[in-house]
Amino acid sequence: MNELPAWLKHTTVWLLLGLMMFLGVQTWQARERQTRFSFDGQTVEIRRAADGHYHWVGRLAGREVEFLVDTGATRTAIPMRLAEELGLPSVGTTQSATAGGTVQGQVVVGALELDGGVRAERLHIVALPQLHAPLLGMDVLGRLAWQQDRGVLRIDLGGAR
């Protein structure tokens, strides 16, 4: 039996090392996401992510969606393509002032449920064509008693309005 060529052995070792690195990073990221969110039945705690923002996972029309918590947003907003994929019904058009200027969008209606049990049925959501990530706005956050301190966003569900 002939031995495998040296280049094939080296390539195999490098590919295995790359695979191990990839799987290690994926595991680390999954753990990081899990430790950012906690819920004790009364209080939701969300720790600031590495990108400096708070992310709150939920479901929109049954699909899992990760929302960026945006206290500067008046309304919850999603990318237009997501609204189309979910088949959310449009109830009109709207203009939204964004960091990039005023943009035209659709107002769609959807059922929102956030981890921890926060729900908003028939929520009017702004769908914008150039938006890259879903934003959780003050139309939802304003109904909750919350505070931010040292990189932790605490939402007291017992104090919801």
Side-chain angles (χ1 to χ4, degrees), residues 115-158:
D115 286 357
V118 174
R119 294 174 186 240
E121 300 292 330
R122 299 204 37 80
L123 180 66
H124 285 216
I125 303 165
V126 177
L128 300 172
Q130 298 301 317
L131 189 63
H132 298 293
L135 304 174
L136 186 64
M138 290 303 293
D139 55 344
V140 174
L141 295 169
R143 301 175 190 178
L144 305 171
W146 56 272
Q147 65 178 6
Q148 176 197 348
D149 184 36
R150 292 182 220 138
V152 178
L153 181 64
R154 285 181 190 81
I155 301 104
D156 178 8
L157 298 182

